[in-house]
């Protein structure tokens, strides 16, 4: 997988969480993911297509981190993952992808992005839109973890 694709998404995620939710996330070591089961409780998934490749990105939040993110962004949050939280995760997925799309464009990669889909629930699955390996990067915070996953065609 092209590391040129990964860094803009990671950088954009850290920026969105810092500026929008006043929350600092700490990236952990990337690893290959071997199954489709999400690591957290609510996920946004977005497909991407360019002339060079196609792929997808997902951002998954542990429930407590998703709730803390909403509280950081709007000052209040529900007690559990609900429609407001799933909408928020979809919006964050859009913001992260938009920021990464700008950075990739500066490097000569023009991606078209789909509308994000959001899935939630214990042990929900994420089906990436590419044939390549799935790379997952855990991001830790005092409220729980977020996970960014990428998969691009080879």
């Amino acid at each position: 997988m092209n590391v040129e694709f990964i860094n803009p998404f990671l950088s954009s995620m850290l920026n969105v969480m810092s500026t929008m939710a006043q929350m600092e996330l700490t990236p952990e070591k990337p690893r290959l993911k071997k199954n489709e089961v999400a690591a957290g409780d609510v996920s946004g998934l977005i497909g991407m297509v360019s002339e060079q490749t196609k792929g997808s990105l997902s951002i998954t939040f542990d429930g407590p981190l998703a709730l803390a993110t909403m509280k950081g962004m709007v000052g209040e949050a529900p007690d559990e993952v609900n429609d407001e939280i799933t909408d928020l995760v979809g919006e964050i997925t859009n913001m992260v992808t938009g920021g990464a799309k700008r950075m990739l464009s500066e490097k000569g990669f023009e991606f078209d992005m789909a509308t994000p889909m959001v899935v939630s629930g214990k042990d929900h699955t994420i089906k990436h839109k590419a044939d390549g390996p799935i790379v997952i990067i855990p991001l830790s915070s005092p409220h729980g973890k977020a996970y960014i996953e990428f998969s691009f065609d080879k």
Side-chain angles (χ1 to χ4, degrees):
M1 178 172 306
N2 191 337
V3 72
E4 283 186 273
F5 293 158
I6 295 174
N7 288 336
F9 289 101
L10 180 59
S11 172
S12 184
M13 175 71 176
L14 297 175
N15 181 51
V16 165
M17 292 298 288
S18 174
T19 58
M20 301 301 290
Q22 294 74 52
M23 195 172 298
E24 301 303 321
L25 299 179
T26 304
E28 297 178 4
K29 187 176 182 195
R31 63 181 190 268
L32 288 178
K33 187 175 176 202
K34 303 292 187 196
N35 62 33
E36 295 181 339
V37 177
D41 301 311
V42 58
S43 300
L45 174 67
I46 193 163
M48 301 172 288
V49 178
S50 76
E51 287 185 17
Q52 299 96 332
T53 188
K54 74 176 171 62
S56 55
L57 159 87
S58 71
I59 300 173
T60 301
F61 286 85
D62 286 345
L65 178 57
L67 298 172
T69 300
M70 177 170 260
K71 189 162 178 57
M73 290 176 78
V74 299
E76 59 186 21
D79 295 330
E80 60 188 21
V81 173
N82 63 11
D83 288 348
E84 285 180 288
I85 296 295
T86 57
D87 288 349
L88 175 79
V89 169
E91 196 51 46
I92 288 171
T93 304
N94 248 346
M95 287 188 273
V96 168
T97 308
K101 183 178 176 178
R102 279 189 296 281
M103 289 181 241
L104 287 165
S105 178
E106 292 167 9
K107 295 179 178 192
F109 298 103
E110 297 294 336
F111 279 95
D112 289 327
M113 311 280 183
T115 302
M117 294 180 352
V118 180
V119 187
S120 64
K122 183 167 175 43
D123 295 331
H124 66 274
T125 58
I126 300 169
K127 295 192 186 316
H128 285 277
K129 312 289 186 213
D131 298 327
I134 301 167
V135 174
I136 184 169
I137 304 173
L139 305 162
S140 61
S141 84
H143 304 284
K145 289 191 177 187
Y147 305 86
I148 298 182
E149 296 179 17
F150 314 87
S151 183
F152 289 94
D153 284 349
K154 296 176 173 128

